[in-house]
Amino acid sequence: MTEREAAMTRRALMLSVLALVLAACGDDGAVFTTTTTAATTTTAATTTTAATTTTGVTTTTAATTTTTTTTTTMALPPVLLLPEGIGFADFGDDPDPVMAAAELLFGAPTSDTGWLAGGFGDYGVCPGTEFRQVSYLSDTLILMFSDVDYFAGGGVRNFISYAYSGPTMLTAGPPASVDVGTTVAELLSMYPTATVLGDDPLLGPSFYYTPGSGYEGIYGTLTGTTDSDVVTYVVGGVGCGE
């Protein structure tokens, strides 16, 4: 059978099938209906829940220890030029604490002789068997120490004298003690029994005051003897050369 003949045979077969279908429908005039069914694809909604695993996180805070340092600031003692000492130290006191206090007040010494043998020397006649002179404020303040028995037992190193010749600075306000710049009138108001001299053979215009029969005392030089003249140099105690 040729290809043409095969196609004609398939056509005839299709027509025969169609005729049978029409006959089955009878005389009701039914129309052959082709029903197209839409394929409905139902997609199930899938909810994906991400499982979250919570891991307990432990935060370790290092314990902090706070140390509070309390600094107590002590007021420095006053500097006073007195017959019995210099305010922050009395004659007869141990040298080391006196020098330590002086350094706090005035800074490091500007000169220090160290301990010298007593007797004659560059510092005059020095009392006792040992003598030391320590200077501050560019040598305008001099502290003297010895083992003389003026204020302490013999053979004991102690503070024996001071000398000051610097600018007015040791006291403030109404005079609390004699100072460089103190007037003669102020001096005599503090020490009414002080002696004021106009012609001392060594010092010229000067003054001195001794409160008793011991070695305590204060003296110095003046610009003159009138009430408005002022002190220029102050010495307390008994220094080298006495």
Side-chain angles (χ1 to χ4, degrees), residues 92-115:
D93 285 351
D94 182 76
D96 290 337
V98 175
M99 288 184 284
E103 189 161 340
L104 285 175
L105 288 162
F106 311 117
T110 50
S111 63
D112 185 348
T113 65
W115 288 101

Side-chain angles (χ1 to χ4, degrees), residues 150-215:
Y150 292 158
F151 306 103
V156 178
R157 291 175 174 178
N158 67 100
F159 175 41
I160 65 166
S161 182
Y162 65 80
Y164 183 64
S165 60
T168 303
M169 62 175 290
L170 297 182
T171 58
S177 75
V178 176
D179 189 7
V180 171
T182 297
T183 66
V184 171
E186 290 170 334
L187 167 67
L188 292 175
S189 70
M190 283 184 277
Y191 304 119
T193 60
T195 300
V196 176
L197 303 172
D199 56 357
D200 183 89
L202 294 177
L203 302 176
S206 58
F207 73 94
Y208 68 87
Y209 169 69
T210 55
S213 59
Y215 291 95

Side-chain angles (χ1 to χ4, degrees), residues 112-124 126-134 145-147 157 240:
D112 185 348
T113 65
W115 288 101
L116 303 173
F120 293 94
D122 294 339
Y123 299 92
C126 301
T129 63
E130 290 185 292
F131 175 80
R132 183 174 183 177
Q133 177 172 294
V134 184
F145 307 91
S146 177
D147 64 351
R157 291 175 174 178
C240 192

Side-chain angles (χ1 to χ4, degrees), residues 15-135:
L15 291 173
S16 296
V17 172
L18 179 59
L20 290 174
V21 172
L22 292 173
C25 292
D27 296 330
D28 297 333
V31 178
F32 179 79
T33 302
T34 302
T35 302
T36 302
T37 303
T40 302
T41 302
T42 302
T43 303
T46 302
T47 301
T48 302
T49 302
T52 303
T53 302
T54 303
T55 302
V57 178
T58 302
T59 302
T60 302
T61 303
T64 302
T65 301
T66 302
T67 302
T68 302
T69 302
T70 302
T71 302
T72 302
T73 302
M74 296 180 64
L76 294 175
V79 180
L80 302 171
L81 306 180
L82 304 169
E84 65 272 13
I86 195 168
F88 62 89
D90 291 334
F91 298 131
D93 285 351
D94 182 76
D96 290 337
V98 175
M99 288 184 284
E103 189 161 340
L104 285 175
L105 288 162
F106 311 117
T110 50
S111 63
D112 185 348
T113 65
W115 288 101
L116 303 173
F120 293 94
D122 294 339
Y123 299 92
V125 180
C126 301
T129 63
E130 290 185 292
F131 175 80
R132 183 174 183 177
Q133 177 172 294
V134 184
S135 301

